[in-house]
Amino acid sequence: MHKYLFINVFLVFSALLGTSAARAQTHWQFDVPFVPTPHVVIEEMLRLAKVTPQDFVMDLGSGDGRVLISAAQKFGARGIGVDLDGELIAESIESAKVAGVSDRVQFLQQDLFKTDLGQATVITMYLLPGVMARLQPRLLELKPGTRLVSHDFRIGDWKPDVTTQIRKNAFLWIVPAKVEGRWQLTMALPGGEHRMDLELRQKYQEIDGFGQFGDRPSQIWEPRLSGDRLSFVIVDDRDRDNEAALYFEGQIKGDVIEGQLRRGAGKAQTVHGWRAQRVSAVKP
Ligand SMILES: C[S@@+](CC[C@H](N)C(=O)[O-])C[C@H]1O[C@@H](n2cnc3c(N)ncnc32)[C@H](O)[C@@H]1O
């Protein structure tokens, strides 16, 4: 099924790309055929991932090397491309020399499923849906904040953080920290330290939950998770005459979250520290 879909994609490419598509494959020996990503789509993927010279980009199934060469030439990044096709690897090494980026990029003939992804800050992919689904568990274990960008295909049922369409679909995912569980939160509010129990549930980067101020449940509003950054709002309604929203922002480091909260808005706003410790995982 996916193969036929891909051949259609290939035929569209052939019409659009002329010479580069002439090298693209209609038959393939590896998990995905070689079909090059158009340069305008590569730029969009790298723009979405906000690639900078501090980034280490890995292109999984790097084809003729064009994604990584653009990342180095136009965005100053370093990185590694892996592909099983030895001819494409040799061509990529040559193209990197011509482009003057050999000191920043490396191309290795190896299986993407056997490649250590740990050093990547950005991963780029143009792979078939089945391959992406197989990669999904490993991608979810990467360091929170790692950006994943894909041309045309999604990663299983994982909803992208951003989708754009400039000729083709480009998707961005930011690997989320694991925040599911029960947390004990302490915050330095006016009048002294306060404690709150917090229960968070998570599906990828989508979260919800509730808090418990003393013996009263308290809804969590506007929960957001991006990489290791968490934010949410709770209404402090302990004093009906002095209610205020508590805007929490924090950074997740394993079983600890630390950050600041703003109480209220405008001139009345006050800023306080908060900290949470995970006490257990949420039961299914
Ligand atoms: C659709 S092309 C994408 C090329 C390049 N990333 C781009 O966007 O222009 C997919 C590439 O993945 C390579 N490939 C397929 N299975 C692979 C595997 N298991 N490990 C490494 N590379 C693989 C193919 O040889 C092909 O060059």
Side-chain angles (χ1 to χ4, degrees), residues 18-282:
T19 51
S20 10
R23 286 176 292 152
Q25 301 159 342
T26 44
H27 304 286
W28 58 92
Q29 56 191 126
F30 309 122
D31 297 294
V32 186
F34 171 54
V35 180
T37 298
H39 287 289
V40 73
V41 179
I42 293 175
E43 281 194 8
E44 176 61 3
M45 291 164 74
L46 300 174
R47 186 194 71 84
L48 271 188
K50 297 195 170 90
V51 174
T52 73
Q54 279 68 53
D55 277 311
F56 193 88
V57 180
M58 293 186 79
D59 189 26
L60 304 184
S62 51
D64 63 4
R66 57 177 60 203
V67 176
L68 217 50
I69 291 170
S70 286
Q73 249 187 341
K74 298 177 187 164
F75 296 80
R78 290 177 305 119
I80 289 183
V82 297
D83 204 293
L84 281 173
D85 186 320
E87 277 180 31
L88 287 171
I89 289 293
E91 184 183 333
S92 303
I93 293 170
E94 195 47 44
S95 302
K97 271 189 209 152
V98 172
V101 294
S102 300
D103 57 332
R104 306 190 69 75
V105 300
Q106 224 189 330
F107 292 98
L108 304 174
Q109 184 178 5
Q110 66 186 46
D111 190 339
L112 63 90
F113 287 109
K114 294 180 185 149
T115 298
D116 178 2
L117 308 178
Q119 65 179 321
T121 57
V122 174
I123 291 183
T124 55
M125 295 166 284
Y126 184 20
L127 301 167
L128 286 169
V131 176
M132 305 277 272
R134 276 171 69 197
L135 268 175
Q136 182 174 352
R138 289 182 62 206
L139 297 174
L140 280 163
E141 290 306 316
L142 291 173
K143 189 169 175 285
T146 305
R147 289 98 80 206
L148 317 173
V149 272
S150 168
H151 169 193
D152 236 3
F153 298 110
R154 290 169 180 247
I155 307 171
D157 64 346
W158 184 359
K159 197 169 141 196
D161 290 271
V162 183
T163 301
T164 63
Q165 202 174 37
I166 297 176
R167 287 203 185 139
K168 304 294 294 296
N169 284 323
F171 301 109
L172 168 75
W173 295 262
I174 299 170
V175 175
K178 294 182 173 57
V179 290
E180 183 149 282
R182 293 204 175 88
W183 300 79
Q184 253 167 22
L185 194 151
T186 47
M187 50 190 148
L189 285 180
E193 188 175 274
H194 286 264
R195 285 176 181 276
M196 187 176 80
D197 291 330
L198 186 67
E199 182 167 319
L200 294 175
R201 295 177 184 277
Q202 173 172 24
K203 183 178 182 195
Y204 307 126
Q205 73 276 42
E206 293 176 295
I207 51 168
D208 64 16
F210 59 89
Q212 186 91 12
F213 252 136
D215 54 359
R216 277 180 311 143
S218 191
Q219 169 123 21
I220 288 179
W221 305 98
E222 301 291 329
R224 304 242 189 286
L225 176 63
S226 179
D228 64 357
R229 302 288 162 158
L230 172 72
S231 63
F232 59 89
V233 180
I234 283 177
V235 176
D236 178 0
D237 58 0
R238 291 165 301 156
D239 176 357
R240 289 278 172 197
D241 296 331
N242 184 24
E243 288 188 345
L246 304 176
Y247 299 89
F248 288 82
E249 285 177 356
Q251 184 175 19
I252 304 138
K253 291 180 189 155
D255 288 331
V256 172
I257 312 174
E258 272 178 324
Q260 287 201 320
L261 72 90
R262 288 167 294 126
R263 187 179 190 281
K267 287 189 181 160
Q269 186 177 84
T270 53
V271 181
H272 314 273
W274 68 281
R275 186 179 195 277
Q277 174 80 47
R278 185 166 11 213
V279 287
S280 71
V282 170

